[in-house]
Amino acid sequence: LAKITQPISMDSYEGQEVNITCSHNNIATNDYITWYQQFPSQGPRFIIQGYKTKVTNEVASLFIPADRKSSTLSLPRVSLSDTAVYYCLVGEMGGGFKTIFGAGTRLFVKA
Amino acid sequence: DTAVSQTPKYLVTQMGNDKSIKCEQNLGHDTMYWYKQDSKKFLKIMFSYNNKELIINETVPNRFSPKSPDKAHLNLHINSLELGDSAVYFCASSQGTAKNIQYFGAGTRLSVL
């Protein structure tokens, strides 16, 4: 299983772009990179998933370099409501039971 | 029209009691899960279940048992509750081969006194 490293916490201000980097040096060929967001007192919510290069949706962008040993979740123009814990997960598409959540990155957005 | 719903939201009980947490998903998914989130906020998977296969995390005590009356429901039964069982329990579901994209319920906060 890929070992995942991401910052424990980050601070930002409203309107800024936030980039959260996740390191996964021993990612396997069949592994995808998936990000979840968790607000206090709620369950995690799927944000974005990618395999290589760049993926963008209405919430975020995910940048994955060619070696796939790291990935960066980019949140454009954050607001106070983006304050949450962000989890980076690495695993096969069909590996539901093998889903492993790490400690996540606690993002705090200030006014 | 909540996609994954759990009841109750809060559960306070005494040590030694038996309790159940219910989970229902209306997404038509074929796989459901139970997770435990402890006080340090680590999320650990407990069970994965579809109509063909139950996978149990070997670290989960056998006092915990999932029961699925149908594809849309996966309830969690806990016998002889202990203080260390206090945590937030999340139910989740996924569909088909995209099992790493899971939809979570709002959680059940269990407090064992």
Side-chain angles (χ1 to χ4, degrees), chain B residues 10-22:
Chain B
Y10 300 97
L11 184 54
V12 181
T13 188
Q14 301 286 332
M15 272 196 331
N17 284 350
D18 302 338
K19 290 293 179 185
S20 295
I21 305 172
K22 294 185 178 180

Side-chain angles (χ1 to χ4, degrees), chain B residues 6 10 14 18 32 35 48 53-54 60 62 81 98 103 108 113:
Chain B
Q6 299 178 223
Y10 300 97
Q14 301 286 332
D18 302 338
M32 297 182 72
Y35 286 82
S48 165
E53 187 179 26
L54 169 64
V60 175
N62 57 15
L81 277 155
Y103 294 79
T108 295
L113 307 177

Side-chain angles (χ1 to χ4, degrees), chain B residues 4-73:
Chain B
V4 181
S5 59
Q6 299 178 223
T7 54
K9 190 169 176 62
Y10 300 97
L11 184 54
V12 181
T13 188
Q14 301 286 332
M15 272 196 331
N17 284 350
D18 302 338
K19 290 293 179 185
S20 295
I21 305 172
K22 294 185 178 180
C23 178
E24 175 183 4
Q25 54 94 5
N26 63 5
L27 297 167
H29 287 171
D30 59 11
T31 305
M32 297 182 72
Y33 312 84
W34 277 104
Y35 286 82
K36 177 181 181 181
Q37 188 167 41
D38 60 25
S39 57
K40 295 183 180 178
K41 304 299 184 184
F42 285 105
L43 264 165
K44 294 182 182 178
I45 193 164
M46 302 173 70
F47 305 100
S48 165
Y49 182 78
N50 65 22
N51 59 0
K52 298 178 183 177
E53 187 179 26
L54 169 64
I55 304 177
I56 302 171
N57 184 326
E58 61 189 14
T59 67
V60 175
N62 57 15
R63 298 181 293 104
F64 290 77
S65 58
K67 298 226 188 312
S68 180
D70 55 57
K71 204 169 84 164
H73 296 82

Side-chain angles (χ1 to χ4, degrees), chain A residues 32-34 36 38 41-46 49 87 89 91-103 106, chain B residues 9 33 35 37 41-43 45-48 55-58 90 97-107 109:
Chain A
Y32 283 71
I33 299 151
T34 309
Y36 285 82
Q38 185 177 24
S41 303
Q42 293 187 29
R45 180 178 76 112
F46 168 78
Q49 180 177 265
Y87 295 97
L89 283 70
E92 295 183 15
M93 286 278 279
F97 181 72
K98 297 178 183 175
T99 302
I100 297 177
F101 284 81
R106 187 172 298 275
Chain B
K9 190 169 176 62
Y33 312 84
Y35 286 82
Q37 188 167 41
K41 304 299 184 184
F42 285 105
L43 264 165
I45 193 164
M46 302 173 70
F47 305 100
S48 165
I55 304 177
I56 302 171
N57 184 326
E58 61 189 14
F90 289 100
T97 56
K99 288 187 171 26
N100 59 353
I101 299 177
Q102 298 178 10
Y103 294 79
F104 284 77
R109 183 174 294 276

Side-chain angles (χ1 to χ4, degrees), chain A residues 7-98:
Chain A
I8 294 175
S9 65
M10 295 180 68
D11 288 346
S12 181
Y13 289 93
E14 281 190 294
Q16 287 186 334
E17 178 184 76
V18 170
N19 296 309
I20 306 175
T21 297
C22 179
S23 171
H24 28 79
N25 287 329
N26 59 338
I27 188 169
T29 303
N30 293 333
D31 286 346
Y32 283 71
I33 299 151
T34 309
W35 285 81
Y36 285 82
Q37 172 192 56
Q38 185 177 24
F39 297 115
S41 303
Q42 293 187 29
R45 180 178 76 112
F46 168 78
I47 301 176
I48 197 167
Q49 180 177 265
Y51 184 81
K52 62 180 178 181
T53 62
K54 177 184 174 182
V55 180
T56 298
N57 62 22
E58 64 278 3
V59 176
S61 294
L62 179 59
F63 298 92
I64 305 168
D67 66 7
R68 304 201 326 123
K69 293 186 177 183
S70 66
S71 58
T72 299
L73 175 73
S74 180
L75 305 171
R77 296 181 296 282
V78 295
S79 62
L80 296 177
S81 62
D82 291 316
T83 294
V85 178
Y86 292 82
Y87 295 97
C88 169
L89 283 70
V90 173
E92 295 183 15
M93 286 278 279
F97 181 72
K98 297 178 183 175

